[in-house]
Amino acid sequence: MDWMAWTWPTAIFFMVIASLLITFTVLAIKFPETPRTGILRIETTRGDRLFITLLGSAFINLAWLGIVGAQQPYALIVCLIYAAAVFRWV
């Protein structure tokens, strides 16, 4: 298939997402949890917080590209801080 160029960064991205989904599935089976209410005032589980983190990280990276343009690895640092905040307080 020549319509899509698979590069190593693209493959690593999808491998990380797949490993996160597998890890969270195993955690949900092994350690069932009850939903909790955070600062958003909605009940969330680990999977919900992962989804919020991935969605927010996508927007952080898009905004970073639009505003800063370069030094994308620094956006990863911002995303990691955002992820820690989401899993702690949401």
Side-chain angles (χ1 to χ4, degrees):
M1 298 201 166
D2 294 333
W3 63 272
M4 185 170 190
W6 283 94
T7 62
W8 276 110
T10 304
I12 291 170
F13 172 79
F14 283 107
M15 285 188 282
V16 167
I17 297 296
S19 65
L20 280 171
L21 290 173
I22 291 168
T23 301
F24 275 68
T25 301
V26 169
L27 283 172
I29 293 168
K30 194 164 183 130
F31 305 106
E33 68 171 333
T34 57
R36 69 177 195 201
T37 304
I39 62 171
L40 293 180
R41 299 291 175 225
I42 58 173
E43 288 186 347
T44 59
T45 62
R46 279 187 292 250
D48 297 330
R49 291 188 292 277
L50 175 64
F51 178 74
I52 292 168
T53 298
L54 291 174
L55 191 61
S57 295
F59 285 115
I60 289 170
N61 277 286
L62 286 173
W64 191 276
L65 281 173
I67 296 169
V68 178
Q71 291 120 1
Q72 197 65 21
Y74 293 115
L76 176 62
I77 295 169
V78 175
C79 290
L80 292 174
I81 293 168
Y82 171 72
V86 167
F87 274 91
R88 174 68 178 103
W89 291 301
V90 172

